[in-house]
Amino acid sequence: MNTRREFLKTGLAFGAAVSLAPWSRLAAATTATTPVAPAPAAPARSVLVAVRDGSRSAMADQAFAALGGVGAWVKPGQTVCLKPNIGWDAPPERGANTHPELVGHLVRLCLGAGAKSVSVFDNTCDQWQLTYEHSGIEKAARDAGAHVVNGKDQSLYREVEIPGGVKLKRALVHSLVLDSDVLLNVPVLKHHSGTGMTAAMKNLMGVVWDRKFYHQTDLHQIIADFLTLRKPTLNILDAYHPMVRHGPRGKSADDLVEMRTLLASADPVALDAAAAKLLGLEPAKVAYIKIADAMKLGTMDLSQVEIRRFSLA
Amino acid sequence: MRQRGLKILRVAGAAAVFAGLTAALVDFRGAVPPVVGQGLASIQFVPSAVALATGAGVALACLVILVVTLAAGRIYCSAICPLGIFQDIVARLAGWVRGKKALLPYRPARTWIRQLFLWGGVAGMVAGGAGLTLSLLDPYSIYGRIASGLFRPVVTLANNALVDLIRALGGESLYRVIPPWAGVAALAVPAVMLALVAGLAAWRGRIYCNTVCPVGTLLGLVSARSAWQLSLDPGACRKCGDCLRDCKAQCIDLRSGTIDSSRCVACYNCLDACREAGIGYRWTWRKRSAKPASPPVPGANHAASAADPQRRAFIATAVLSLTTIAGADRLLAVTAAGNDPSARPGAKDEKSPTGSRRPNYSRAICPPGAGSVDRFLDTCTACHLCVSACPTHVLQPAFLEYGFLGLLKPRLDYTDAFCNFDCRRCAEVCPDGALGLLPLAQKQVTRIGVAEFDVERCIVKTKGTDCAACSEHCPTKAVDTIPYGDNLRLPQVNQELCIGCGACEFACPSKPDKAITVAGQRRHDQAKRGKEEKARDPRRGNAFPF
């Protein structure tokens, strides 16, 4: 356990965090739009990038710049599965789905980095063709060069074992999630009447065929269980105008608050913990975040996370 | 008297109407704009007559059809009615299979069978089963159910078979769709009708239209008296029989040299078949007031030439007026009484699924825009255009859920789907006003049912884990959650806000019985729409509260 190497690693990471974190905040304040130089080596601690007050595309660019560039995550020739939240038949201004501008921009970034293909899908809650169309995502993704794939075609799902799962032992999972080299999880931040909130971890409910099983069994535990099968390569949260009540469907644009924020992290637990705070929630009060943290699928203790903050205002 | 262009016109018109309507009815991916199906359905005789009789719209198509029929015969039956056109296609295919054209010689009209169906239909409407009678006898609706219930799943299966092929060729235009089979019971009626109509068509052309179909009989009564009628020219006709080979109505009697205009469907095949130009439209009205130009052929014994034209005209007019009055009277009564459940005998409060005795309860739920179940059952002809158009497939043909009088009428089935909040597609395509097109904001508060929650079945209580799938799906937040137990959220229903869309019932994962179900409403009413302030920022001033 306590090898010398681990001790050194922890120490180095800690030192890096202490020295880097304030500096990046300073950089944000002074040179707002200048991308920060690529981070040196992969730190041992989770890294979370928080960007605010820019357009969705600009904030995504900033996040990637702070995470070593798109090329650090998407290598030439790789296949990318981009999973936005396309749950509801609602237009972009209702905030029920990931914004199409962000989806389109990320598709272009991936293809620009040399991705072989980018595929976009969701197992929608509302009727899927209407939802794909009215969310604006189908058009945005297609115009950017992505394949838009049917999430309601059971033949595209494969049954897999989930040995690490506590309650989710096997599931029909969309083949794009199982087979793509890169899984980009691109949720939208919303209040949720069942789980308290939805961001990165809950968005992955949309990659399994049988959503009802989740609800039947133990929603929070199973949301955490899925991460043992596949963790997203990177999670990018659209918190431009989060839905702060009546989620996850929402009733009107009055349910949204403009925050003009975007979070990005490879650690979905850390990202959800920060997202919970944006909604005024204590991360440990959101059961699936707490469970995932206890299962060591990530960390919800934000004091243990290296947070790189940027303001593009 | 060459009139050859007529057949081309008839075929072109029929092809356009049939292709458009069939496309709308078999459309499994929402590709056909609603205006196509609605437009071609609203020029059909019965839907237009219903719309006119109930005052649902200025539906003049039925009047135009009557006027056209009085002018030049049953053009409706050949060029507009999809069931008629379908029979022509079946007869043509059967001819190809047989390898030769069937020679259908002249047969006398089966007048008593025609009258039986016509008067039976009138009696059925007067007796209170207007909606059921119309739906079982209207030829357009019969075809609609066949295409929607039987053809659409087959087309879907064909699409699914092509998906892999197209993908292998690099295309992405196709995707797999779950074949939309309705319940076996609800499919039996269209299946039987398909077998009957197709079988009769393969055997004897338009015999269905000229014996069973009351619309055919009604228009036949008018066309028997039409101003222009197809007639044989005794000077040119050599009685070669070429026309008989192409006549699908068995209405050309060469022996007497007459054509039974009540059964002629104005297909104009004979015009093209006759090499002598011995058949053509002739003006008949002046002849009738004067003395007949040519005396009846000796030995002719069929009814049309023997009967007194004045007496028959009187009978026809009487039939027409009675039918119209009976139909309109019944339908108007229904429209006026649409909001009064006592208007229909047998309407009474029943128990909802959760056992509570509700006034105004209906076991089956009819779509928003119907007003009430009673009005819907009397005015909907069950053409299933809305069933095909419904993007979520929540609309399914009923079997006995509405009772016998509601056989085949669309109902909302929340087993696998729910009514999309922002969608009015069913009312957009409805051709006869059974579903009125409400403004979207009004549709979104129109209550077709009310959710009832049984906490004893709810997973949050029975298993002690969070769920709230019902609340998650609720578009009006009539189903919300309240804190419960140890950091859990329990669903709570505010029935004042509920519109009965069924999203909660669909989503509820509780087994074997759902914890939340929608009790249908016999009369639709309005849910409340709560006004709310703009949401407040929960971050309390700190842009990055972490």
Side-chain angles (χ1 to χ4, degrees), chain B residues 180-183 384 387 393-398 408-413:
Chain B
W181 292 107
H384 292 183
V387 172
H393 304 310
V394 70
L395 274 183
Q396 294 288 332
L408 303 171
K409 306 286 159 110
R411 70 177 184 105
L412 284 86
D413 180 349

Side-chain angles (χ1 to χ4, degrees), chain A residues 89 126-129 147 150 153 155 193-194 212 215-216 220 245-246 248 253-254 256 277-278 285 309, chain B residues 172 175-176 391 418 420 463 466-467 471-472 477 481 487 489 506 509 532-535 539 545-546:
Chain A
D89 177 19
D126 275 327
Q127 201 275 351
W128 74 274
Q129 289 108 322
H147 303 285
N150 181 0
D153 179 353
S155 71
S193 59
K212 267 188 187 169
H215 281 279
Q216 262 156 10
H220 293 290
R245 67 174 183 214
H246 297 327
D254 284 341
L256 313 185
K277 296 230 169 193
L278 286 176
K285 282 280 195 180
R309 298 171 172 83
Chain B
E172 291 191 348
Y175 47 76
R176 251 182 221 88
F418 56 96
N420 185 295
K463 296 197 175 176
D466 264 330
C467 172
S471 156
E472 183 179 333
K477 283 292 161 276
T481 54
N487 195 24
R489 293 154 196 86
F506 158 79
E532 282 179 288
E533 308 266 296
K534 175 88 184 148
R539 290 175 299 179
F546 38 76

Side-chain angles (χ1 to χ4, degrees), chain A residues 194-211:
Chain A
T195 55
M197 62 167 280
T198 169
M201 290 170 65
K202 179 130 193 344
N203 189 42
L204 295 175
M205 249 183 102
V207 308
V208 296
W209 177 251
D210 188 3
R211 310 167 61 101

